[in-house]
Amino acid sequence: MAVASFALADYVVFALMLVVSAAVGIYYAWVDRSRRNPGNFLTGGRKLTALPVSLSLTASFMSAITVLSFPAEVYHYGANIGFYGLSYLMAMLVTSEVFLPIFYKLEITSTFEYLELRFNRATRLLGTLLFIVQTILYSGIVIYVPALALNQVTGMNLWGVVISTGVVCTFYCTLGGLKAVVWTDVFQLGVMIAGFLSVIIASVILQGGVINIFSDSQHGGRINFWDFDTNPLRRHTFWTVAIGGTFLWTSVYGTNQSQVQRYISCKSITHARFSLFINLLGLWLILLCSVFAGMCLYSIYKSCDPWTSGLLSALDQLMPYLVMDILGDYPGLPGLFVAAAFSGSLSTVSSSINALAAVTVEDLIKPYASMSERQLAWISKGTSLLYGVLCIGMAGLASLLGPIFQAVISIFGVIGGPLLGLFTLGILCPFATSKGALSGVVLGLAVSLWVAIGAQIYPPPPEMSRPLSLTTEGCNFTMTDSFSWTSTDLPTLPSSTTTLIEKIHKQDFTSGFTTPISRPALADWYSVSYLYFSPIGTIITISVGLIVSVLTGGRKLNVESRLRLTKEDTSLYYLFKIIKDGVSTVAVSEYHI
């Protein structure tokens, strides 16, 4: 199936990326050898500056699956996922003004510490366990799925790549802690962008310029931004991406330990806020690269689609196929793209391992055991090693379970919404009680799971997903008879938790069932856009939590001001105050004149 095969130079480039990543871990293990305490290992001593943290934030959830799946999404469904840019902006504003001030002023290491301070220990433990389960599942998929796609196209050894990626990632996380994770993320983000640019530049030269690529995409219906249909069953419109994406990315940046742990490690709240907005520029850049790469894919293969012609078994193989097709004659450049893809994997998994170690030490060990700082530091390193091994093991499990694993990762994808609702209850609702919080998150999680499982059994009809046309009319070879419209490979995730389910929808939308599946009365409820799964979980958690809180005496509750958002916590308050003072000064000056 491969258009070309990996050369020695490609393996050297890929190996060099792994070696540099490991070297960063060794460097910080040596530099911090005299400061062995869990605070330094898990939060970098809270002395990091905005720039490296911002780049680490960007890299953490821009995984290899983003590199492979976003361009394929544009190729098959169009560029309206570009509206994620708006949802990124809204998520950064909400995180900066609502969640960051609370977590930063409490000086906590684990976000779930807040849940015990605000509610009770049971709520904290529930949040911690949900996070651990979803993160281990996510990390295993992030390691395995891109390795599978690249193996099938480039011929790279599947398990050699999986194990080397997992081992290197675990190595520098265990040795260097958060500082190593942050600085390797910076390096890996640079590699990701370089890999994208190599493909984009080669495609632009091949197609005769950017204008030709846009023209081909326009004629092929790929530039479909102007879709403002309010129907919640439509898979991607302006509203589903803007609203659903805002909830999705707010849950990631506002409450996910992997992200929160980075910006609270900054040396001041100003640096933390700056890190979020510099990170926003990085997110926009990666989004722009991936959307344009998808247009390049369509422009090059508009007349002979390699997927429907049987050259590929899954859409996620399109980007590596393109790389081997147009860059295969340039030794080292395919290796750069593969290094870019796996830089995404390393950055995501390293962030996950460090976050898992943090919540395990802070939420499951420290409250129940009296230990010295040195002992806790060694336990932090040990848990990092343990979780690294678990993530590699989960990658192996993913390969064995095959399609059954789709159900598991779909369940994982709907946890973020209820957790966002739980934290929102505590921060914004002063009369929310622990009974209300637990009732809300349990019911929110149950409904989210119900909808997600129903969506797999009764996927939305094609008119709701609207895949765009692909053709093989320009192919000059005989199409493979054995080609199947549905892939048996694992589904892939674009950058976040809820988008796991969406990948499954991609497969089902184009499958064409031989036996019609009877659709129950609730089929439309199950057919709601996958991007609304997170808002459903959040809204139900908050609504149920408020009702139960009122019924259980929440109006008499007196919550400490440090545990809830006050106007003085927000930067908008000081901005309005400056504007108001400026207006008053001008008015007084005019009066005297």
Side-chain angles (χ1 to χ4, degrees):
M1 179 174 56
V3 177
S5 58
F6 247 38
L8 177 61
D10 299 315
Y11 284 105
V12 170
V13 171
F14 178 67
L16 186 62
M17 182 271 294
L18 295 179
V19 169
V20 171
S21 299
V24 173
I26 296 172
Y27 172 77
Y28 278 105
W30 175 257
V31 168
D32 293 334
R33 64 191 183 281
S34 61
R35 297 191 292 272
R36 290 179 178 171
N37 62 76
N40 192 64
F41 184 81
L42 298 174
T43 62
R46 300 184 190 272
K47 294 179 180 178
L48 298 176
T49 55
L51 185 59
V53 170
S54 66
L55 298 178
S56 178
L57 285 169
T58 301
S60 293
F61 275 84
M62 294 294 109
S63 70
I65 300 171
T66 304
V67 176
L68 300 179
S69 287
F70 264 38
E73 164 74 23
V74 174
Y75 178 81
H76 198 207
Y77 291 97
N80 56 3
I81 59 166
F83 287 127
Y84 269 129
L86 178 59
S87 63
Y88 292 157
L89 173 62
M90 298 303 297
M92 294 313 115
L93 288 172
V94 174
T95 299
S96 172
E97 296 301 293
V98 177
F99 297 100
L100 167 60
I102 299 296
F103 295 141
Y104 197 90
K105 71 182 179 182
L106 290 176
E107 297 185 349
I108 56 179
T109 299
S110 165
T111 54
F112 304 105
E113 291 179 62
Y114 171 80
L115 296 179
E116 181 172 356
L117 293 171
R118 178 63 178 84
F119 298 118
N120 56 22
R121 181 162 291 183
T123 311
R124 177 181 182 175
L125 288 175
L126 176 61
T128 300
L129 292 175
L130 287 174
F131 173 77
I132 289 174
V133 170
Q134 71 169 15
T135 306
I136 292 175
L137 286 173
Y138 179 60
S139 300
I141 294 297
V142 163
I143 293 174
Y144 178 73
V145 174
L148 181 64
L150 290 162
N151 160 261
Q152 292 174 334
V153 176
T154 66
M156 290 185 71
N157 183 276
L158 174 63
W159 289 108
V161 172
V162 167
I163 293 173
S164 62
T165 303
V167 167
V168 169
C169 189
T170 304
F171 176 78
Y172 71 75
C173 285
T174 303
L175 285 183
L178 183 68
K179 288 181 182 178
V181 171
V182 167
W183 283 105
T184 49
D185 283 352
V186 172
F187 164 68
Q188 289 155 7
L189 181 63
V191 175
M192 286 173 66
I193 293 173
F196 259 135
L197 290 179
S198 66
V199 179
I200 288 172
I201 292 170
S203 300
V204 169
I205 294 172
L206 182 64
Q207 296 303 100
V210 173
I211 300 299
N212 290 339
I213 291 174
F214 272 103
S215 177
D216 290 339
S217 300
Q218 177 69 42
H219 289 127
R222 265 61 189 175
I223 302 179
N224 52 355
F225 291 114
W226 315 116
D227 188 347
F228 295 92
D229 188 351
T230 56
N231 186 349
L233 306 185
R234 286 286 309 284
R235 181 173 170 275
H236 277 173
T237 66
F238 170 82
W239 302 109
T240 55
V241 177
I243 297 173
T246 296
F247 276 82
L248 172 65
W249 287 101
T250 301
S251 72
V252 169
Y253 278 87
T255 64
N256 189 286
Q257 175 69 25
S258 298
Q259 301 297 73
V260 175
Q261 190 172 339
R262 270 148 192 70
Y263 56 70
I264 63 174
S265 68
C266 289
K267 61 183 182 181
S268 71
I269 193 169
T270 302
H271 273 266
R273 281 199 167 104
F274 272 124
S275 72
L276 283 172
F277 289 105
I278 298 172
N279 149 77
L280 177 62
L281 299 178
L283 291 177
W284 282 342
L285 177 60
I286 293 290
L287 181 64
L288 178 64
C289 287
S290 57
V291 169
F292 189 69
M295 292 182 184
C296 293
L297 271 173
Y298 179 74
S299 180
I300 292 172
Y301 297 124
K302 61 184 181 293
S303 300
C304 181
D305 171 41
W307 182 48
T308 52
S309 64
L311 293 175
L312 305 175
S313 61
L315 283 169
D316 302 315
Q317 297 169 10
L318 276 166
M319 277 300 284
Y321 182 86
L322 173 68
V323 169
M324 299 309 294
D325 190 4
I326 67 175
L327 297 177
D329 294 331
Y330 302 92
L333 288 182
L336 177 62
F337 178 79
V338 170
F342 279 95
S343 288
S345 285
L346 285 171
S347 62
T348 301
V349 176
S350 63
S351 301
S352 299
I353 290 173
N354 197 248
L356 287 166
V359 299
T360 301
V361 170
E362 296 295 326
D363 299 328
L364 302 180
I365 296 177
K366 278 180 72 172
Y368 306 99
S370 178
M371 296 183 181
S372 66
E373 291 288 289
R374 191 177 183 85
Q375 287 175 318
L376 287 172
W378 280 108
I379 288 176
S380 299
K381 290 178 181 289
T383 52
S384 292
L385 178 61
L386 172 65
Y387 282 122
V389 173
L390 281 176
C391 289
I392 297 173
M394 185 56 62
L397 185 62
S399 69
L400 295 175
L401 292 181
I404 298 174
F405 205 68
Q406 295 177 0
V408 178
I409 61 174
S410 297
I411 290 173
F412 152 74
V414 297
I415 292 175
L419 284 178
L420 174 61
L422 180 61
F423 281 97
T424 303
L425 268 176
I427 292 172
L428 297 182
C429 307
F431 55 89
T433 64
S434 57
K435 292 180 181 178
L438 277 172
S439 303
V441 75
V442 168
L443 192 59
L445 185 62
V447 172
S448 296
L449 291 175
W450 171 40
V451 177
I453 294 171
Q456 293 184 62
I457 299 171
Y458 304 102
E463 60 267 20
M464 292 295 108
S465 61
R466 302 189 184 180
L468 300 172
S469 61
L470 300 168
T471 182
T472 58
E473 291 179 359
C475 296
N476 57 0
F477 54 85
T478 304
M479 289 176 56
T480 335
D481 294 331
S482 60
F483 175 71
S484 170
W485 278 89
T486 51
S487 166
T488 56
D489 297 334
L490 284 174
T492 59
L493 294 117
S495 64
S496 106
T497 53
T498 55
T499 52
L500 291 157
I501 303 149
E502 173 271 336
K503 174 60 185 173
I504 298 167
H505 288 178
K506 284 186 197 176
Q507 298 166 355
D508 289 333
F509 290 151
T510 56
S511 59
F513 296 104
T514 54
T515 304
I517 296 178
S518 60
R519 296 177 69 80
L522 287 174
D524 281 350
W525 167 247
Y526 297 140
S527 296
V528 70
S529 171
Y530 75 96
L531 282 171
Y532 283 137
F533 288 177
S534 183
I536 287 171
T538 302
I539 292 168
I540 289 178
T541 299
I542 294 174
S543 301
V544 172
L546 289 177
I547 293 169
V548 174
S549 295
V550 170
L551 296 177
T552 55
R555 284 174 292 183
K556 300 177 183 178
L557 197 64
N558 186 22
V559 179
E560 296 179 64
S561 60
R562 70 191 182 109
L563 300 178
R564 54 187 173 83
L565 188 70
T566 62
K567 62 182 181 181
E568 289 80 10
D569 290 326
T570 66
S571 57
L572 288 176
Y573 168 75
Y574 294 101
L575 178 62
F576 287 138
K577 188 175 180 181
I578 290 170
I579 294 172
K580 182 180 178 181
D581 291 344
V583 171
S584 300
T585 303
V586 170
V588 170
S589 300
E590 290 179 350
Y591 174 77
H592 286 299
I593 292 173

